[in-house]
Structures are given as structure tokens and as C-alpha cells.
Amino acid sequence: MTLQELRSQALACTRCQLAGGRTQVVFGVGDPHAALMLVGEGPGQQEDLQGEPFVGRSGQLLDKLLHQELGIDRSRCYIANVVKCRPPGNRDPLPAEIEACRPFLDAQLRLVHPAVVVTLGNFASRLLLGRSEGITKLRGRAYRFGDAHLVPTYHPAAALRGGGEVVAGMRADLVRAKRLLAAFAP
Ligand code: URA
């Protein structure tokens, strides 16, 4: 199975009710062999229209922070979401939707096989760590994740809402990811 084949499967997916409301499946984007993989929550309106993750306001902040803290643009990493289709009105994804979509994310993680995974926000962080605490508790350190390292951080939408302190936390987490990349994927 290649990422392309997996993508074709996702584009035809009707495993949950989100399929009925989507404009496009937002599968994932970036370097299929990236050392760094970012995992968000789910597509918003812009992502649903354009078919690419993090292309709205949150994405602009993410691009800026990637550039400023890691010196890279999005083509150097791989970006995916927990759910590949937009929840109506940007509501939270439901447990059944997350469960239905999980095989796609798991396969993306297997195929890209990054050295460092950065989870953006509660949904991605809780899902991949198998923990129930919120992001404020979970962030601030790295976790072993199979043979990779996982760095949980705030969702950029929370940074847009929360202001300077949240952005500063995100920056610190991205610096943590950068150090891990230098150590494990030089
Ligand atoms: N928020 C997400 O979690 N993912 C996107 O792709 C866009 C906004």
C-alpha cells in the first residue's frame, strides 16, 4: 500500500456520516518521507473547499511558526488530520467519526514513518497518546511514540483565540520538535 493508494481509498470513503456533507476529502499533504509529521483535528471550511489541510487562518499561523521556529515550509513536512472530512459547522468530530477515520491516520503514520510527530490540539494529542487529559496538561514535554517522538502542542486556532501566551507555548513546543529532529533525523 502506498500513500497514493491510501489516498484513493480515502477519496471514496463513506465509512461515517461526514462523507455526506463534504465538498472534498482532505487526505493530507507534503513530503511522503518527511521526518516531521503534523496532525490536526479536521478540515474547516477552507480546507473542505480546497482539499488541503491548514489552508485557512490557522494554517497561515502554522506556516509562519514552522518558518520562524524550524526554518522550513510545509512542503518539508507531512500534514494530516484526525478526520479527513469537515464536521458540519466546524463542530468537534464525534467519537464514531474519529474511530471510522483512524485507520487512515494510522496508515499515514506507518507509511510516512516520521521521526517526530507534532499533534495540534486536544483531539490529535489525546488520540495518538491514548490519554484523556487536555492539551494544557499534555504539552510541555515529548513522549515516545513507537520508534518516533511525539510533541503535543496547542491547536493554532487556540493560539489565534488565546493570544501571546498560547503562541509562546506553541513556539516552545516547535523548538522541542526541532531539537528532536536534530538528534534523531539529522
Ligand atoms: N484545523 C485543523 O485541525 N485542520 C485543518 O486542516 C484546518 C484547521
Side-chain angles (χ1 to χ4, degrees):
M1 170 78 76
T2 65
L3 268 181
Q4 263 318 319
E5 288 163 350
L6 189 69
R7 181 190 176 84
S8 302
Q9 280 187 13
L11 295 194
C13 179
T14 54
R15 285 181 208 169
C16 84
Q17 59 183 350
L18 296 182
R22 71 186 176 220
T23 310
Q24 298 193 56
V25 175
V26 180
F27 175 69
V29 73
D31 178 356
H33 307 294
L36 173 64
M37 180 161 161
L38 307 174
V39 182
E41 177 179 322
Q45 185 180 29
Q46 282 308 312
E47 290 77 19
D48 173 71
L49 291 172
Q50 297 183 43
E52 181 170 333
F54 286 103
V55 289
R57 280 188 68 222
S58 292
Q60 285 166 18
L61 176 60
L62 185 62
D63 284 342
K64 182 172 104 177
L65 294 178
L66 283 175
H67 179 69
Q68 292 179 348
E69 300 304 337
L70 288 155
I72 61 170
D73 67 46
R74 61 167 54 209
S75 68
R76 301 262 311 273
C77 47
Y78 189 83
I79 310 180
N81 282 309
V82 167
V83 294
K84 313 302 190 213
C85 298
R86 183 191 183 203
N90 296 346
R91 67 157 166 76
D92 290 345
L94 302 174
E97 295 159 356
I98 294 172
E99 204 47 45
C101 214
R102 180 156 198 177
F104 289 118
L105 181 61
D106 285 343
Q108 285 171 306
L109 284 160
R110 253 193 330 272
L111 290 165
V112 177
H113 197 237
V116 177
V117 178
V118 172
T119 49
L120 301 161
N122 279 319
F123 284 88
S125 302
R126 287 181 181 144
L127 183 72
L128 294 189
L129 288 173
R131 309 259 299 240
S132 56
E133 299 100 309
I135 188 60
T136 308
K137 271 239 162 104
L138 292 173
R139 67 161 291 279
R141 53 163 288 200
Y143 298 77
R144 288 310 306 245
F145 182 67
D147 58 0
H149 293 82
L150 189 150
V151 178
T153 193
Y154 296 113
H155 193 284
L160 286 172
R161 282 192 308 270
E165 207 171 308
V166 181
V167 175
M170 266 191 99
R171 287 186 188 278
D173 295 330
L174 291 177
V175 169
R176 190 169 286 113
K178 183 180 184 172
R179 290 205 189 101
L180 288 164
L181 285 166
F184 296 104

